[in-house]
Amino acid sequence: KALRVLPVMGPTGAPQRRRFSRSLVGATARREGRGRELLLFLHGLGCCKDDFSAALEDPRLDGFTRLAVDLPGHGELRASRPEDCTMEAMAASLRELLAEQTGAQALHIVAHSMGGGPGLLLADTSPLPVSSFLNVEGNLIASDCGIFSRRTMKTSKEDFPAHFRRLLERCSAPMAEPSLKQWARSAALCDPACFRATAESLVSWSDSGGLLEMFERLPSRKLYLCGDKSLNPEVIAALTEIPVLKIQGCGHFVMSESPDAFIEQVVRLATGNSS
């Protein structure tokens, strides 16, 4: 499809300009169901739409249209330039995608890790009313940037491809945790330059405090969901007015480590049934 230029805003409020394709629908997205309310699933850094396969197929969500996408530079959605892989670029692509979802009357966002960045930027200017936002250890503050994002920024652009290959090798090693092996399989689809650009943008937004402010002022139902093995005490302390729920026995990838408990929280928040 044709490309066009859209204005977007950076973390400091300075306008930026990016080129985006008009749609993510196709091989880069998976859609299930025909409900009038749309559940949009957004993956983390180096991940892909397949992280949410269990939720897409679960009959408890049959009343919703479920849409999981590969964000620019991830999975099957190739990006022609690293600039197309920033938080702002991803949010702009998602806004265009939502504009094409005829029949949808409300939006529920489920955002994991890095996906919290474009998810919150989208919620701020969504073409659909946002009814709920489930933040699954999504980036909010500086300390959220750890092994895969801030450490990426310590490696030069020239040296990063080799660093990225070594990182994938470590995460794919026989003794690595299953969740890291799964992450490495998805991350191997990323172009290193695009991965680094996404990490740079994510760190900038997290350091700015803007993502936390957006999450706090969202008027919709919202919940911060985390694994009890990977929770960030600084984030929990900052979320004084937002409900926090910990899933026992889980780390960062709660969708795959405890899919039933994860989907139950998706259902409860989207339907407004917190009991």
Side-chain angles (χ1 to χ4, degrees):
K1 292 190 176 183
L3 298 175
R4 60 174 174 160
V5 176
L6 296 174
V8 293
M9 303 301 289
T12 60
Q16 303 178 4
R17 299 185 75 80
R18 300 283 186 259
R19 296 174 77 232
F20 313 107
S21 64
R22 291 188 60 251
S23 176
L24 297 177
V25 176
T28 62
R30 180 178 171 188
R31 177 174 173 149
E32 302 287 347
R34 292 189 174 184
R36 292 189 176 184
E37 297 190 11
L38 177 65
L39 269 167
L40 177 64
F41 295 90
L42 304 176
H43 62 74
L45 180 64
C47 301
C48 68
K49 62 183 179 296
D50 295 341
D51 286 359
F52 301 105
S53 293
L56 293 174
E57 298 166 1
D58 197 287
R60 287 174 287 180
L61 294 172
D62 280 349
F64 298 88
T65 294
R66 288 95 70 196
L67 184 63
V69 302
D70 287 333
L71 292 167
H74 291 70
E76 297 176 87
L77 185 55
R78 300 292 180 260
S80 58
R81 306 180 308 168
E83 302 96 293
D84 296 337
C85 301
T86 64
M87 300 299 99
E88 303 93 335
M90 290 177 177
S93 291
L94 290 168
R95 280 193 292 271
E96 292 192 357
L97 173 64
L98 291 183
E100 297 174 352
Q101 305 306 302
T102 57
Q105 298 179 349
L107 175 65
H108 304 269
I109 298 174
V110 180
H112 176 239
S113 197
M114 177 275 292
L120 287 166
L121 290 169
L122 170 67
D124 220 32
T125 57
S126 171
L128 291 174
V130 179
S131 294
S132 70
F133 195 109
L134 181 57
N135 189 320
V136 189
E137 292 193 29
N139 280 67
L140 293 172
I141 61 177
S143 61
D144 279 322
C145 299
I147 185 171
F148 295 142
S149 53
R150 195 174 298 281
R151 289 187 186 179
T152 291
M153 302 314 303
K154 295 180 180 179
T155 308
S156 69
K157 292 181 180 180
E158 295 74 20
D159 293 338
F160 185 71
H163 170 84
F164 191 54
R165 286 194 298 271
R166 291 192 296 270
L167 174 63
L168 295 181
E169 290 171 359
R170 290 197 300 272
C171 292
S172 303
M175 299 302 293
E177 295 181 6
S179 59
L180 285 180
K181 292 180 180 179
Q182 178 183 340
W183 177 85
R185 287 192 293 271
S186 298
L189 301 174
C190 296
D191 175 80
C194 292
F195 183 97
R196 192 181 188 283
T198 300
E200 182 176 15
S201 177
L202 179 63
V203 170
S204 177
W205 272 102
S206 300
D207 288 352
S208 75
L211 296 178
L212 177 60
E213 292 177 7
M214 289 180 193
F215 192 37
E216 289 176 329
R217 71 168 181 256
L218 267 181
S220 62
R221 297 189 299 275
K222 52 196 170 186
L223 173 69
Y224 183 87
L225 186 67
C226 61
D228 67 333
K229 295 180 180 179
S230 58
L231 63 86
N232 182 342
E234 290 186 46
V235 172
I236 304 303
L239 298 175
T240 56
E241 303 295 329
I242 297 173
V244 175
L245 191 144
K246 292 174 273 189
I247 296 183
Q248 298 300 311
C250 284
H252 186 59
F253 295 91
V254 297
M255 308 87 64
S256 57
E257 295 178 45
S258 187
D260 188 68
F262 165 70
I263 294 168
E264 182 63 26
Q265 295 309 315
V266 174
V267 173
R268 289 186 177 187
L269 189 64
T271 59
N273 178 18
S274 59
S275 61

